Amino acid sequence: PFNACLISRHADMLLQYIDIIGTFAFALSGTSAGIRRGFDIFGILVLAMSTAVGGGIVRDLCINATPPSGLVHPVYLITVIVAVFVGVFFQRLIIRMEKPTLWLDALGLGFFSAFGAHKTYEYTGEILLSLILGCVSAVGGGVIRDILAHRPPLVLTRDIYASAALIGAGIELLGVTGVIDSRWSIWLAIF
Amino acid sequence: PFNACLISRHADMLLQYIDIIGTFAFALSGTSAGIRRGFDIFGILVLAMSTAVGGGIVRDLCINATPPSGLVHPVYLITVIVAVFVGVFFQRLIIRMEKPTLWLDALGLGFFSAFGAHKTYEYTGEILLSLILGCVSAVGGGVIRDILAHRPPLVLTRDIYASAALIGAGIELLGVTGVIDSRWSIWLAIF
Amino acid sequence: PFNACLISRHADMLLQYIDIIGTFAFALSGTSAGIRRGFDIFGILVLAMSTAVGGGIVRDLCINATPPSGLVHPVYLITVIVAVFVGVFFQRLIIRMEKPTLWLDALGLGFFSAFGAHKTYEYTGEILLSLILGCVSAVGGGVIRDILAHRPPLVLTRDIYASAALIGAGIELLGVTGVIDSRWSIWLAIF
């Protein structure tokens, strides 16, 4: 039990890094959408923040994990602010990239669906709920971004996103419930 | 008390059937909207699920009945999946029907407003809140559907929906609070 | 402690008045948006109510203050109904005013951001969360109004709103945490 605890603590730290990378990717996708819509700097920040933590907030509200971690821990806001500055600074580059929003979205999906499914299962022990809220964690931010940017949600028109999220959440749940060794499932889910 | 308990248990079972029928009608309306917007199968599924359980989720979050029952019990997801298959299979028929989305919406309204008002009153004992959340349960799913499908919410432009929901919730509350015999109120509310 | 309690009770009463004025202003802005979109009376009522209490509901859900006070206390619904009648009755005047929605929005912002930050800090003791949810309380209703009215959210395209909200929440938090005398901070935040 001591060893397991130690391993789990290391895994938790790694998950935290992954969480920040995913947050950054999502915030950048929100920044890119905000620049394209001609939003002002504060509008871009709100859009980036919503994209980054929106899905997680919906998940946290549904499992009663209040206040939502995405709003409490400064690390998320700081990550989002950095992403906004990077996005605004390199905006010419980002706009030139063919479908940067699409591409950046994909980056965060695997992370967030596995992460969301894991947290939901820990809080509730419900398999189906974990699967659904895993997907919600992953695609929710993008849906909120598109609603705020007043355009049809990308995730609903492109199967690949939702499928990726579903697979991520599914693999992670196999791990959490012991079908697959849980130390590996999160990595499988991401890649 | 024993008899009352038995009756109440039967009524609960009936309510559950009604709940599933309402869920099916709402999911079908979401499916129809998704097909019209040219969404892919997963997008249609998300839209159908949002329409069917969206209003109930908002209600459950407001009364702190977490995790929301619409996401926990497999019966809702299964009902939605069946509705999506029925909708996609008979889509020619559905698209030919003059205003199928309007029609299907109306079907679920009476069910859900009474049901939502009932549950809210059970959890909180607040009359006004039950009235409001009864309406939210009923029209919330349709509003979320229209936002996701990127069109102005129908319920806000057509009085008949909201009125139906309000009357449904109102009648049910008269029953729950003992003004009308509670065994009849739910049926009155539906028809 | 007795004196402080008395003062605090008076301050609470004043805050309640301010809350109602802010609710009225927000509801009027929702009414105005509904009239412009050609919504029916019930649609206008829903839009006014969402604008008035929407931000507060999101805040209350995030700090687990359920059921949300905006839906429980009749005073808010009554204020909204009065605002809708005033708005519909004087609609010619409101439509003639150059940018009434913009103007009315601004009125409620200072109130709600300080109020929201205060309540969040009381419930959770988290500074960053209070700052964010203060802004959410203030701009959330307007965002929900614009989403329901199917137009791009004004708050995201006009910096001045969000900035006002942020400043309001920030000043109030300085007060709550004791940097500024808390009896004055709320007034500073509003003006």
Side-chain angles (χ1 to χ4, degrees):
Chain A
F2 179 75
N3 259 356
C5 179
L6 207 78
I7 289 168
S8 140
R9 211 175 298 155
H10 277 291
D12 276 8
M13 245 183 62
L14 272 169
L15 283 179
Q16 222 163 9
Y17 284 124
I18 293 165
D19 195 29
I20 290 168
I21 295 170
T23 303
F24 185 84
F26 270 36
L28 212 50
S29 114
T31 304
S32 157
I35 291 170
R36 278 152 185 275
R37 304 292 293 188
F39 284 1
D40 284 321
I41 188 69
F42 201 97
I44 291 173
L45 184 62
V46 171
L47 203 59
M49 189 74 182
S50 306
T51 311
V53 302
I57 290 174
V58 174
R59 177 202 60 214
D60 285 351
L61 292 181
C62 285
I63 59 175
N64 211 11
T66 54
S69 58
L71 298 179
V72 174
H73 301 304
V75 67
Y76 296 109
L77 183 58
I78 293 167
T79 305
V80 167
I81 290 172
V82 171
V84 168
F85 275 101
V86 169
V88 170
F89 195 76
F90 294 111
Q91 59 177 285
R92 285 200 186 169
L93 190 76
I94 286 176
I95 285 175
R96 246 181 236 152
M97 282 160 60
E98 208 158 302
K99 305 230 172 187
T101 311
L102 290 181
W103 186 79
L104 289 168
D105 258 10
L107 206 67
L109 274 181
F111 299 152
F112 280 160
S113 64
F115 202 85
H118 188 100
K119 183 169 183 184
T120 305
Y121 191 77
E122 240 176 31
Y123 269 75
T124 64
E126 300 274 358
I127 297 276
L128 178 63
L129 185 74
S130 305
L131 201 64
I132 295 175
L133 291 184
C135 291
V136 167
S137 310
V139 305
V143 169
I144 293 172
R145 178 200 63 212
D146 291 341
I147 290 172
L148 291 179
H150 201 246
R151 63 185 190 190
L154 274 180
V155 282
L156 298 182
T157 51
R158 319 222 166 211
D159 270 3
I160 193 155
Y161 291 116
S163 311
L166 194 60
I167 291 166
I171 292 175
E172 173 62 16
L173 281 175
L174 287 178
V176 172
T177 54
V179 179
I180 305 180
D181 186 323
S182 68
R183 272 165 297 171
W184 301 109
S185 66
I186 184 78
W187 303 111
L188 262 173
I190 291 166
F191 298 107
Chain B
F2 179 74
N3 261 356
C5 179
L6 207 79
I7 288 167
S8 141
R9 211 175 298 154
H10 276 291
D12 276 8
M13 245 182 63
L14 272 167
L15 283 179
Q16 222 163 9
Y17 284 125
I18 292 165
D19 195 28
I20 290 168
I21 295 169
T23 302
F24 185 84
F26 270 36
L28 212 48
S29 115
T31 304
S32 158
I35 292 171
R36 277 151 186 276
R37 305 292 292 189
F39 284 1
D40 284 320
I41 189 68
F42 201 98
I44 291 173
L45 185 61
V46 171
L47 203 59
M49 189 74 182
S50 306
T51 312
V53 302
I57 289 174
V58 174
R59 177 202 60 215
D60 285 351
L61 291 181
C62 285
I63 60 175
N64 211 11
T66 53
S69 57
L71 297 180
V72 174
H73 301 303
V75 67
Y76 296 108
L77 183 59
I78 292 166
T79 306
V80 167
I81 289 172
V82 171
V84 167
F85 275 101
V86 168
V88 169
F89 195 75
F90 296 109
Q91 61 175 282
R92 285 200 186 169
L93 191 76
I94 286 176
I95 284 175
R96 248 182 236 153
M97 282 161 61
E98 209 159 301
K99 304 229 173 186
T101 309
L102 291 181
W103 187 77
L104 290 168
D105 258 10
L107 205 67
L109 275 181
F111 299 152
F112 279 160
S113 64
F115 202 85
H118 189 100
K119 183 169 182 182
T120 306
Y121 191 77
E122 240 175 31
Y123 269 75
T124 64
E126 300 274 358
I127 297 276
L128 179 64
L129 185 73
S130 305
L131 202 64
I132 296 175
L133 291 184
C135 291
V136 167
S137 309
V139 305
V143 169
I144 293 172
R145 177 200 63 212
D146 292 341
I147 291 172
L148 290 179
H150 202 246
R151 61 184 191 190
L154 274 180
V155 282
L156 299 181
T157 51
R158 321 220 165 211
D159 270 3
I160 194 154
Y161 291 116
S163 312
L166 195 59
I167 292 167
I171 292 176
E172 174 64 15
L173 281 176
L174 286 178
V176 171
T177 54
V179 179
I180 305 179
D181 186 322
S182 67
R183 271 165 298 171
W184 302 108
S185 67
I186 183 79
W187 302 110
L188 263 172
I190 290 166
F191 297 109
Chain C
F2 179 75
N3 260 357
C5 181
L6 208 78
I7 290 168
S8 142
R9 212 175 299 154
H10 277 290
D12 276 7
M13 245 182 62
L14 272 168
L15 282 179
Q16 222 163 11
Y17 285 124
I18 293 165
D19 194 29
I20 291 168
I21 296 169
T23 302
F24 185 83
F26 270 36
L28 212 49
S29 114
T31 304
S32 157
I35 292 170
R36 279 152 185 275
R37 303 292 293 188
F39 283 1
D40 285 320
I41 188 70
F42 200 98
I44 292 172
L45 185 61
V46 171
L47 202 59
M49 188 75 182
S50 306
T51 312
V53 303
I57 289 174
V58 174
R59 178 203 59 215
D60 286 351
L61 292 181
C62 285
I63 60 175
N64 211 11
T66 53
S69 57
L71 297 180
V72 174
H73 301 304
V75 67
Y76 296 108
L77 183 58
I78 293 167
T79 306
V80 168
I81 289 172
V82 171
V84 168
F85 275 102
V86 168
V88 170
F89 195 76
F90 295 110
Q91 61 175 283
R92 284 199 188 170
L93 191 76
I94 286 176
I95 285 175
R96 246 180 240 151
M97 284 161 59
E98 207 158 305
K99 304 228 172 188
T101 310
L102 289 182
W103 186 79
L104 290 167
D105 258 10
L107 205 68
L109 274 181
F111 299 153
F112 280 160
S113 64
F115 202 85
H118 188 100
K119 183 170 182 183
T120 305
Y121 191 78
E122 242 176 30
Y123 269 74
T124 65
E126 299 275 357
I127 297 276
L128 178 65
L129 185 73
S130 305
L131 201 65
I132 295 175
L133 290 184
C135 292
V136 168
S137 309
V139 305
V143 169
I144 293 172
R145 178 200 62 212
D146 292 341
I147 290 171
L148 290 179
H150 201 245
R151 61 184 192 191
L154 274 179
V155 282
L156 298 182
T157 51
R158 319 222 166 211
D159 270 3
I160 195 156
Y161 290 116
S163 311
L166 194 61
I167 291 166
I171 292 175
E172 173 63 16
L173 280 176
L174 286 177
V176 172
T177 54
V179 179
I180 305 179
D181 187 323
S182 68
R183 271 165 298 172
W184 302 108
S185 67
I186 183 79
W187 303 110
L188 262 173
I190 290 166
F191 300 108

